Amino acid sequence: MDSNNLLVPPITIHTSSHPPDSSNSDVDDLTPSSSAAVDHSPLSLQVPTSPTAKSLGGETLRSRAESFNSTAETTRSRANSFNSKAETARSRGNSLLTTVRSRFEGDDWTTEEALRPDKNNEKDFEVENSPFAFSPGQLNKTLNPKSLAAYKALGGIYGLEHGLQTDLVAGLSVDETTIPGKVNFEEATSPTRSQKPLEARRIIAQDVIVTDRQVQGQFHDRKRVFNDNRLPAKKAISIWQLFWNAYNDRVLLILTAAAVISLALGIYEAVGQPPQEGEGPSVDWVEGLAIMVAIIIVVLVTGLNDYRREKQFTALNAKKDDRQVKAIRSGKSVMISVFDVMVGDILHLESGDAIPADGILVSGHGVRCDESSATGESDAMKKTAGSEAWQRILEGSATSKLDPFIISGSKVLEGVGTYLVTSVGVNSSFGKIMMGLQTENEETPLQAKLSRMANWIGALGTSAAGLLFFVLLFRFFAGLPDSTETPARKGQIFLDILIVAITIIVVAVPEGLPVAVTLALSFATKRMFKENNLVRHLRACETMGNATTICSDKTGTLTQNKMTVVAGLLGTQVNFARDMDMNDEEKAVLTLATAFGKLSPVTRNLLLQSVAINSTAFEGEEDGKATYLGSKTETALLTMAKEFLGMGPVAEERAGVEVVQLFPFDSDRKCMGVVIRLASGSYRLLVKGAAEIMLAHATQELSDISGVSLDTAVLSETASMRVSANIEDFATQSLRTIALLYRDFPVWPPVEVQTLEEDRSMAVFEDVLDDLVFLGVVGIQDPLRDGVAHSVKRCQDAGIVVRMVTGDNLTTASAIAIQCGIKTEKGLVMEGPKFRQLSDEDMDSMLPNLQVLARSSPDDKRILVSRLKYLGETVAVTGDGTNDGPALKMADVGFSMGIAGTEVAKEASAIILMDDNFSSIVKAVMWGRSVNDAVSKFLQFQLTVNITAVVLAFVSAVSSPDMHSVLSAVQLLWVNLIMDTFAALALATDAPTEKILDRKPTPKRASLITTNMWKMIIGQAIYQLIVTFILYFAGYNILGYNEQCSAEDLTQRYQTECGYLTGLAFETCQIEHCTEALNTQLNTMVFNTFVWMQIFNEFNNRRLDNKFNIFENVLKNQFFIGINCIMVGGQIMIIFVGGKAFQITRIDGPQWAVCILCALPCLLWAVLLRCIPDKYAATVFGFVARIWLAGARPIIRVLALLFRPVGKGWRQLSRHVFAPTRRFSSRTAGKIWKRKAVEEEEPRSKGAAAATADVEAGDSSEMAQLASPTAPPQQAPPPITLTTAT
């Protein structure tokens, strides 16, 4: 860039003896001063000279209780008080400040410049009859990219509140439908607009929660103006387009062309050529017509099958994307669907949440977000409350570092808060990204593997068809000199050769293999959803069937997650237990009521603070009953406090407490904490966490729990050992042990500790987590789930190693693992800190015996998964926390908890356990194996048909004098329909049984076709070929047909046989006609026998092992029964009415009996094959394969040389003929679909516009003016002034 174009402002430094104005120091955090004006002047940055100085605009604290009636001396208390009369603890007016006159990007822009529409987005700025002050486009300007200038232009958090007609405290009203009043842009952003007085704001009890509140019929205007939080579904492929895609197959197109030519020649022969003497008109046109009809049927069945599959996956994706979020509606916290989030909603933020919509942070404590997926920013972004950002803008101290913006698609790493939704659905940042990323359904590994196998099989079939074509073509050319046929007839013979060859390719190419996987997956995922497994990624379904190890969490997965405090220790002396069976007379164990009755009021208050304030749980409603919602450990403690400490509503307990700093639970530290300000002005740190870890941080204890004051004493070694013994005792009873500790500080942050770089008023937790006072320990019981021991045993019988990965201590984890059956005598138990210190070699050597990993962190889980995969294991892992994301992603199959899991964990997982139950994982294993079995069954069936059909058609065509295959083109298309569609549906829908777990997992590198499958494929193909060849070559003599057409017999039985066999009168019935008719009957019997062998063999393929019961649970599979009825009915109908179309004739009862009796023994033959041990079969197959390869390699090389020119010609034909034709057809079809869609959309658009006009008429001229602001002028930026206060 030319340096002359750079606009560098002059910098002037002034020194003043007057401190900055601090008149706004007492302004409430969420209510701007009525005299505040929208300042368009350059802004300034306030820099404290002291690391302990804290401005009013700095980060303040809110309670998770979200109450608003605090009287504590703070601007924003834990209770979120908005009517505090006291002054803030640290006022900006009392601090020595250095004022730096600076600016952020766009701080000197006008409103029009800040909200200038982007190119191609002008329509987002124009909304007709809107009751709101802002358009979707204007709201988007705050985040495209993050813009404080746009935020300023919209009037800040309060302008947004007014303009969106919402309430920052009470949220949207559940009764809102249409909005009668209208707010314009000037009203919303006007500095003189009237403000809601604090007394008018609704005081809400956010601890009351209602689940599954529906919003249908509500928020009409909001949906009309801003849309809802749904992304438009990927445009479904119409059924007509699916039919076109099914037909747009190269082989079918070639077959269609051949059929059309055959039909044309047949019609020419029938109409343009006189029939030969003694014969009727030619009916060769029937074959061409029949092929075209068969192609239509194949296309229709394939298209309908694809349509059904698309519908199933669309429904699955809708379920996969839906989830519940916590919003504030009419002053109460409600759980709503993420799809029902509206602009103007107030949503809660908690650690682990995936943010569903764009917005502005209303209030929060320590909120940090990972925006890498949305903006590419890898650092955790600290969020500033919108009110603070607005205050800083008014004061002129805002900089670009202020970030009140919440971006959809990002994740909350830590902290709690609420935010105002400003953009949803397609208008949100995440929605715009996702609209450009909508892709087709993923291809699973099994589908890819089968596609490669299908190509390989198809290549072999194509080679056989090509060889057949050239053999018959040479015979055809060799016979031309002596042929007396007409030219049309010769052309028809050539086309018959071509059609048979092409049809063999149709049969040989197993395009049904990938379809079988899709059918099996769609069926399995639908059934798995009913069994509490929501499959997010299809590949997980098939992979889970081959899992070799499961790394499972304990809480909620192996246990019921219904926790109760059943024992504990107050101080270091008083033991208590809920169940008297747990009492130990030597320890003088008391009941809970007796033990808590000994507490003095001050100790009771301290214990209440430790339980109620240092907690993220809240009161709510579940199944119509009042309960506590949140972490089950915390709800157990709250229940104890309510029953034995006289705790009232949690909101009231938290209302009068000022929270100064919050330390969220961290799985690495195994603890959480909170700092509160006491009435005396001092500060108290409350900590709770894993008992044995917390004990190491304690140096003092309460000397007397009944004393009138909190007197402490040094924690002696004896007392420490006594506490450790109690913790160990609780752990052996499978109790989770939680320690409660505290420490008082005169100031916060303490002088001697480190503070956070971004906020010097916040202390580093590790620096204050020392010299704590031990308050007590509680033992929490979490009973095992019913049947979990049986489920673990079934996994172990299935060859799956179950490992427990838990945060509990070693003793508790071992005790529960023994109860579950996970821990065996030779199994290893290890703690996470020791595990992560092992070298890779040591870790690999001990992993086969590792059964329990206690005190583990999410990083330990990730390392465990990584090493197990390195050792070749197929790993499934469960997780519920945000930090479990890497392990869930790394595992072959990640299971997240549908109840206890965070949104981050769910997004990282492949399957969501909707009931958090280990038994559901076992169901996933069963269905995974069922999918793999379904594919193997279909593969075994199809390869048998492929081999038999191709060999039979090849041999019969080559040996036939007229070069006709015993299986005509139409017959082969019917067989192909049986193979590719009907059999796939029948064999892919068998539900799994418990017996499927009686075998070991299939190794990752195992072949798709096992030895047992090869045994059945080759064995059945040999039987079917022997039967069909005998019927074809020797059936004429075996059935006595040579005698039926003798001259004498023909004379005697002319009335009954000749007419029936030939359709001719006796006068024209000759011996050759009779012979031809009997040959047609024989060919019909060969075709009928062949099809019935496939039907019976389908039953054989229901089993993949060497067991004999092929009818097991067959009556439970209605698909299998129904499809077999269709195949049987279709075959019978074809034999009776197929006639010329299928080139067959009717057969009588004895002939039907011959067909069935020849086909039925394939069931008995399968029994004999299953009696052959697989190891003997493998030896035979290996020997034959070596001989075949030795002889086939030279032949393959010769064929490669011969067919290379043909291949090149085919590729050129495809490139220059088929490809342009396909592109032209696709474009034409696309234009037709698009034109239809536009024609259908226009009436709806007109109707919607009319309805909108009827709802409310309004003038949008003001909005139109704002939609076209002038471009910002090119001018030098204003001077930067540095002012130093002294």
Side-chain angles (χ1 to χ4, degrees), residues 275-281 1062-1065 1067-1070 1072-1073:
Q276 295 183 6
E277 186 179 351
E279 294 185 359
T1062 64
L1064 301 174
E1067 293 78 9
T1068 58
C1069 187
Q1070 306 295 326
E1072 58 270 20
H1073 295 143

PDB file of all heavy atoms in Angstrom, residues 275-281 1062-1065 1067-1070 1072-1073:
ATOM      1  N   PRO A 275     -45.137 -63.631 -42.788  1.00  0.00           N
ATOM      2  CA  PRO A 275     -44.756 -64.820 -41.999  1.00  0.00           C
ATOM      3  C   PRO A 275     -44.448 -65.996 -42.913  1.00  0.00           C
ATOM      4  O   PRO A 275     -44.932 -66.082 -44.045  1.00  0.00           O
ATOM      5  CB  PRO A 275     -45.995 -65.091 -41.151  1.00  0.00           C
ATOM      6  CG  PRO A 275     -47.117 -64.476 -41.905  1.00  0.00           C
ATOM      7  CD  PRO A 275     -46.553 -63.292 -42.626  1.00  0.00           C
ATOM      8  N   GLN A 276     -43.589 -66.873 -42.408  1.00  0.00           N
ATOM      9  CA  GLN A 276     -43.266 -68.077 -43.171  1.00  0.00           C
ATOM     10  C   GLN A 276     -44.480 -68.994 -43.225  1.00  0.00           C
ATOM     11  O   GLN A 276     -45.394 -68.920 -42.400  1.00  0.00           O
ATOM     12  CB  GLN A 276     -42.083 -68.794 -42.521  1.00  0.00           C
ATOM     13  CG  GLN A 276     -40.787 -67.984 -42.557  1.00  0.00           C
ATOM     14  CD  GLN A 276     -39.622 -68.743 -41.965  1.00  0.00           C
ATOM     15  OE1 GLN A 276     -39.760 -69.915 -41.624  1.00  0.00           O
ATOM     16  NE2 GLN A 276     -38.481 -68.067 -41.867  1.00  0.00           N
ATOM     17  N   GLU A 277     -44.427 -69.905 -44.219  1.00  0.00           N
ATOM     18  CA  GLU A 277     -45.560 -70.812 -44.431  1.00  0.00           C
ATOM     19  C   GLU A 277     -45.776 -71.690 -43.205  1.00  0.00           C
ATOM     20  O   GLU A 277     -44.853 -72.297 -42.679  1.00  0.00           O
ATOM     21  CB  GLU A 277     -45.296 -71.690 -45.653  1.00  0.00           C
ATOM     22  CG  GLU A 277     -46.479 -72.566 -46.032  1.00  0.00           C
ATOM     23  CD  GLU A 277     -46.198 -73.401 -47.263  1.00  0.00           C
ATOM     24  OE1 GLU A 277     -45.134 -73.156 -47.897  1.00  0.00           O
ATOM     25  OE2 GLU A 277     -47.022 -74.267 -47.576  1.00  0.00           O
ATOM     26  N   GLY A 278     -46.988 -71.722 -42.749  1.00  0.00           N
ATOM     27  CA  GLY A 278     -47.347 -72.544 -41.590  1.00  0.00           C
ATOM     28  C   GLY A 278     -47.111 -71.868 -40.264  1.00  0.00           C
ATOM     29  O   GLY A 278     -47.351 -72.459 -39.216  1.00  0.00           O
ATOM     30  N   GLU A 279     -46.607 -70.620 -40.250  1.00  0.00           N
ATOM     31  CA  GLU A 279     -46.367 -69.908 -39.000  1.00  0.00           C
ATOM     32  C   GLU A 279     -47.203 -68.642 -38.975  1.00  0.00           C
ATOM     33  O   GLU A 279     -47.544 -68.069 -40.005  1.00  0.00           O
ATOM     34  CB  GLU A 279     -44.889 -69.554 -38.860  1.00  0.00           C
ATOM     35  CG  GLU A 279     -43.982 -70.769 -38.705  1.00  0.00           C
ATOM     36  CD  GLU A 279     -42.546 -70.360 -38.448  1.00  0.00           C
ATOM     37  OE1 GLU A 279     -42.273 -69.142 -38.416  1.00  0.00           O
ATOM     38  OE2 GLU A 279     -41.697 -71.248 -38.280  1.00  0.00           O
ATOM     39  N   GLY A 280     -47.498 -68.231 -37.783  1.00  0.00           N
ATOM     40  CA  GLY A 280     -48.232 -66.994 -37.604  1.00  0.00           C
ATOM     41  C   GLY A 280     -47.304 -65.795 -37.645  1.00  0.00           C
ATOM     42  O   GLY A 280     -46.113 -65.916 -37.905  1.00  0.00           O
ATOM     43  N   PRO A 281     -47.845 -64.613 -37.376  1.00  0.00           N
ATOM     44  CA  PRO A 281     -47.007 -63.404 -37.362  1.00  0.00           C
ATOM     45  C   PRO A 281     -45.902 -63.518 -36.313  1.00  0.00           C
ATOM     46  O   PRO A 281     -46.043 -64.176 -35.281  1.00  0.00           O
ATOM     47  CB  PRO A 281     -48.003 -62.290 -37.008  1.00  0.00           C
ATOM     48  CG  PRO A 281     -49.351 -62.855 -37.344  1.00  0.00           C
ATOM     49  CD  PRO A 281     -49.264 -64.322 -37.104  1.00  0.00           C
ATOM     50  N   THR A1062     -47.979 -76.257 -28.897  1.00  0.00           N
ATOM     51  CA  THR A1062     -47.562 -75.315 -29.939  1.00  0.00           C
ATOM     52  C   THR A1062     -48.572 -74.211 -30.196  1.00  0.00           C
ATOM     53  O   THR A1062     -48.222 -73.185 -30.770  1.00  0.00           O
ATOM     54  CB  THR A1062     -47.327 -76.059 -31.250  1.00  0.00           C
ATOM     55  OG1 THR A1062     -48.580 -76.617 -31.700  1.00  0.00           O
ATOM     56  CG2 THR A1062     -46.330 -77.177 -31.075  1.00  0.00           C
ATOM     57  N   GLY A1063     -49.801 -74.429 -29.786  1.00  0.00           N
ATOM     58  CA  GLY A1063     -50.828 -73.449 -30.097  1.00  0.00           C
ATOM     59  C   GLY A1063     -51.294 -73.496 -31.538  1.00  0.00           C
ATOM     60  O   GLY A1063     -51.990 -72.622 -32.008  1.00  0.00           O
ATOM     61  N   LEU A1064     -50.896 -74.570 -32.265  1.00  0.00           N
ATOM     62  CA  LEU A1064     -51.252 -74.684 -33.682  1.00  0.00           C
ATOM     63  C   LEU A1064     -52.333 -75.746 -33.878  1.00  0.00           C
ATOM     64  O   LEU A1064     -52.516 -76.630 -33.049  1.00  0.00           O
ATOM     65  CB  LEU A1064     -50.016 -75.058 -34.516  1.00  0.00           C
ATOM     66  CG  LEU A1064     -48.824 -74.077 -34.434  1.00  0.00           C
ATOM     67  CD1 LEU A1064     -47.644 -74.663 -35.191  1.00  0.00           C
ATOM     68  CD2 LEU A1064     -49.206 -72.714 -34.974  1.00  0.00           C
ATOM     69  N   ALA A1065     -53.021 -75.624 -34.978  1.00  0.00           N
ATOM     70  CA  ALA A1065     -53.987 -76.663 -35.336  1.00  0.00           C
ATOM     71  C   ALA A1065     -53.236 -77.918 -35.766  1.00  0.00           C
ATOM     72  O   ALA A1065     -52.072 -77.871 -36.139  1.00  0.00           O
ATOM     73  CB  ALA A1065     -54.888 -76.164 -36.471  1.00  0.00           C
ATOM     74  N   GLU A1067     -53.471 -79.672 -38.318  1.00  0.00           N
ATOM     75  CA  GLU A1067     -53.053 -79.727 -39.710  1.00  0.00           C
ATOM     76  C   GLU A1067     -51.665 -79.110 -39.915  1.00  0.00           C
ATOM     77  O   GLU A1067     -50.911 -79.496 -40.803  1.00  0.00           O
ATOM     78  CB  GLU A1067     -54.070 -79.008 -40.613  1.00  0.00           C
ATOM     79  CG  GLU A1067     -55.422 -79.708 -40.691  1.00  0.00           C
ATOM     80  CD  GLU A1067     -56.270 -79.448 -39.465  1.00  0.00           C
ATOM     81  OE1 GLU A1067     -55.861 -78.598 -38.648  1.00  0.00           O
ATOM     82  OE2 GLU A1067     -57.309 -80.111 -39.305  1.00  0.00           O
ATOM     83  N   THR A1068     -51.335 -78.091 -39.113  1.00  0.00           N
ATOM     84  CA  THR A1068     -50.042 -77.420 -39.290  1.00  0.00           C
ATOM     85  C   THR A1068     -49.030 -77.845 -38.245  1.00  0.00           C
ATOM     86  O   THR A1068     -47.901 -77.344 -38.228  1.00  0.00           O
ATOM     87  CB  THR A1068     -50.237 -75.893 -39.190  1.00  0.00           C
ATOM     88  OG1 THR A1068     -50.809 -75.583 -37.913  1.00  0.00           O
ATOM     89  CG2 THR A1068     -51.143 -75.375 -40.302  1.00  0.00           C
ATOM     90  N   CYS A1069     -49.392 -78.735 -37.361  1.00  0.00           N
ATOM     91  CA  CYS A1069     -48.493 -79.150 -36.276  1.00  0.00           C
ATOM     92  C   CYS A1069     -47.541 -80.210 -36.792  1.00  0.00           C
ATOM     93  O   CYS A1069     -47.955 -81.298 -37.175  1.00  0.00           O
ATOM     94  CB  CYS A1069     -49.311 -79.691 -35.108  1.00  0.00           C
ATOM     95  SG  CYS A1069     -48.310 -80.048 -33.649  1.00  0.00           S
ATOM     96  N   GLN A1070     -46.263 -79.862 -36.790  1.00  0.00           N
ATOM     97  CA  GLN A1070     -45.239 -80.786 -37.230  1.00  0.00           C
ATOM     98  C   GLN A1070     -44.379 -81.214 -36.042  1.00  0.00           C
ATOM     99  O   GLN A1070     -44.448 -80.667 -34.953  1.00  0.00           O
ATOM    100  CB  GLN A1070     -44.363 -80.132 -38.311  1.00  0.00           C
ATOM    101  CG  GLN A1070     -45.144 -79.582 -39.491  1.00  0.00           C
ATOM    102  CD  GLN A1070     -45.836 -80.680 -40.262  1.00  0.00           C
ATOM    103  OE1 GLN A1070     -45.313 -81.805 -40.383  1.00  0.00           O
ATOM    104  NE2 GLN A1070     -47.028 -80.380 -40.786  1.00  0.00           N
ATOM    105  N   GLU A1072     -41.192 -80.859 -35.603  1.00  0.00           N
ATOM    106  CA  GLU A1072     -40.240 -79.832 -35.134  1.00  0.00           C
ATOM    107  C   GLU A1072     -40.924 -78.806 -34.240  1.00  0.00           C
ATOM    108  O   GLU A1072     -40.339 -78.275 -33.310  1.00  0.00           O
ATOM    109  CB  GLU A1072     -39.548 -79.143 -36.310  1.00  0.00           C
ATOM    110  CG  GLU A1072     -40.472 -78.463 -37.303  1.00  0.00           C
ATOM    111  CD  GLU A1072     -40.900 -79.395 -38.424  1.00  0.00           C
ATOM    112  OE1 GLU A1072     -40.797 -80.636 -38.217  1.00  0.00           O
ATOM    113  OE2 GLU A1072     -41.327 -78.890 -39.461  1.00  0.00           O
ATOM    114  N   HIS A1073     -42.230 -78.544 -34.544  1.00  0.00           N
ATOM    115  CA  HIS A1073     -42.966 -77.621 -33.686  1.00  0.00           C
ATOM    116  C   HIS A1073     -43.161 -78.210 -32.299  1.00  0.00           C
ATOM    117  O   HIS A1073     -43.040 -77.510 -31.287  1.00  0.00           O
ATOM    118  CB  HIS A1073     -44.321 -77.284 -34.312  1.00  0.00           C
ATOM    119  CG  HIS A1073     -44.202 -76.541 -35.601  1.00  0.00           C
ATOM    120  ND1 HIS A1073     -45.053 -76.760 -36.666  1.00  0.00           N
ATOM    121  CD2 HIS A1073     -43.316 -75.602 -36.025  1.00  0.00           C
ATOM    122  CE1 HIS A1073     -44.713 -75.991 -37.671  1.00  0.00           C
ATOM    123  NE2 HIS A1073     -43.653 -75.269 -37.302  1.00  0.00           N
TER     124      HIS A1073
END
